[in-house]
Structures are given as structure tokens and as C-alpha cells.
Amino acid sequence: MKNDSIRIHWLLGSSSQRRQAILDMLGQTYHIRPSHLDESFAKDYPPEKQVKLLAEAKAHAVYQQLQEEHFLIPTPNHQPWWIVTADTLVDLDGTAIGKPSDANEALATLMALSGRSHLVWTCIAIYDLKNHLLVSETDCAKVTFANIQREDFVRYIATGEPLDKAGAYAAQGMGAQFIEKVEGDFFTVMGLSPRVLWSLAKRIGYQEPLFSTFKS
Ligand SMILES: Cc1cn([C@H]2C[C@H](O)[C@@H](COP(=O)(O)OP(=O)(O)OP(=O)(O)O)O2)c(=O)[nH]c1=O
């Protein structure tokens, strides 16, 4: 029988519903603490470096918010209290593509992605509030788009789905219709890989997979 008394207290430093859905899928319970980070400081770095800088800066921003609120971990407490943050960018020939600012930019991005491959980088950061330890890991997947007509992208943009997604599409949503193949971890494209999350958890001393034993 496994010890089910350990429960990770996640503070999810993200407003992304996709990241919430992935923690839900893993049966994790969490509090949402968006970082509200101004991401512009990282824009001149290559995509791989940007996602790392941004995921780590989001974790620091949430930590700072907690400090300003004089947040204290309830004691005695032997359970992990972790801030988790992530950042995702599309990389087209070395150029980072984030979320589109409007429908025109979304269309230009999707036209540029059509009929070819691009990379998607996601970095996840965990800040261990008890041991004051920050770990992060960056992962990359390659996505190939089919040849798509401009009018079909225009129809897609009208759904609103692309507007809050890096690269102006959602691989887990209606945008899946444009995708010929994904090489690598699909969840990295979606913005939070359970495999990477567990790998980070192991690095800070939590060996068991992230299952829930607290389902009601
Ligand atoms: C490529 C791709 C991105 N995305 C999303 C994941 C992220 O939410 C978003 C990239 O923007 P991010 O800046 O990584 O995240 P966010 O601004 O949505 O949320 P927060 O900073 O509060 O964590 O794009 C998908 O949902 N599906 C996809 O296929």
C-alpha cells in the first residue's frame, strides 16, 4: 500500500486554462496565482532561452507576491508546497512567435506556418517554497502543418480560439485539423507536459508519479 498522506500543494502561477486542465487531468489540486509578468524583457533572446527566462521569472513573480502578502506555509507541515509556472513559444526558423496581438497578426502567423514545420518550446519551472529551490526544464516538439487555404484560417480566427495561443493555434482544439504530425511530446505543444512535471518533481525529491489519492 502506498503512502497516500503526501499531497503536493500546487500554486499554479498561470491563467492558462490549458495548464489548469492538465493539472486536473493528473488529479492534482491547486490554487491559481497568475504571475501577471511583463514578458517584454526576454524578447531579444532566442526562443529556447526566452521560455526558460520567462517560466523562471513567472515563478519568482508569484513568490514575490506571496512574500508581499506575508504568506506562511501552515505548520507543522511535511507536505510539498510548490509554485509551478510555464512558458510556451512557437519557433519558426529561430524567430519566437508568441500570442497574436490581433486577428491580422494571427492570420499572418498561420499563413507562415502553413505547409511546413516549426518548433514549439515549453519551459516548466517549479519553486519549492520550503527549501527555496527553483528547478526548470525546457522541452521541444516539432509540429508540421498541412497546406491550408487562407479562407480556412480566416474562419478559424473567427472562432476566437487562436487569439490567446502562442503561434495562433491550439493543437488540442479546433486547430488540430491543420496538423499533419507532432514529433515529440504533445503536451509540450499544449503548454505543460506531465512527463516534464514529474521529472522536475523527482529532481526535488518527490519520486512517485503525480496521481491523486484524494478523489472524493
Ligand atoms: C502552440 C499552442 C499554445 N497554446 C497555449 C499555451 C499557453 O497558454 C499559450 C502560450 O502563452 P504563455 O505565455 O506560455 O501562457 P499564458 O499567457 O497563456 O498563461 P500564463 O503566462 O499565465 O501561464 O499558448 C495552446 O494552448 N495550444 C497550442 O497548441
Side-chain angles (χ1 to χ4, degrees), residues 31-162:
H31 296 284
I32 299 169
R33 303 280 322 208
S35 68
H36 305 299
L37 183 77
D38 175 358
E39 302 189 10
S40 56
F41 78 92
K43 66 177 171 19
D44 294 331
Y45 291 93
E48 179 180 4
K49 175 91 175 152
Q50 275 195 47
V51 291
K52 181 175 165 64
L53 287 171
L54 290 169
E56 292 182 354
K58 287 176 187 179
H60 280 301
V62 175
Y63 177 60
Q64 202 154 352
Q65 287 170 20
L66 294 172
Q67 276 192 317
E68 281 161 16
E69 292 166 23
H70 306 290
F71 171 85
L72 288 175
I73 296 171
T75 52
N77 194 314
H78 303 296
Q79 296 170 335
W81 284 76
W82 294 346
I83 297 167
V84 59
T85 52
D87 195 78
T88 300
L89 283 174
V90 160
D91 172 347
L92 188 65
D93 302 329
T95 300
I97 305 179
K99 293 178 278 192
S101 51
D102 58 25
N104 288 336
E105 198 178 311
L107 182 59
T109 295
L110 289 166
M111 291 298 292
L113 300 182
S114 181
R116 51 166 306 185
S117 301
H118 62 270
L119 303 177
V120 182
W121 294 96
T122 292
C123 179
I124 303 178
I126 294 180
Y127 188 93
D128 178 344
L129 281 168
K130 283 162 81 178
N131 300 309
H132 298 286
L133 186 69
L134 177 75
V135 289
S136 71
E137 190 169 321
T138 302
D139 193 51
C140 183
K142 185 174 171 185
V143 178
T144 304
F145 264 42
N147 265 309
I148 306 296
Q149 298 297 312
R150 183 189 174 90
E151 311 84 75
D152 293 328
F153 281 144
V154 170
R155 289 187 188 101
Y156 178 51
I157 292 162
T159 68
E161 182 177 271

Side-chain angles (χ1 to χ4, degrees), residues 14-16 18-19 58 87-88 99 165-166 171-172 189:
S14 174
S15 51
S16 160
R18 285 71 62 182
R19 296 191 175 121
K58 287 176 187 179
D87 195 78
T88 300
K99 293 178 278 192
K165 313 287 186 313
Q172 75 281 13
V189 182

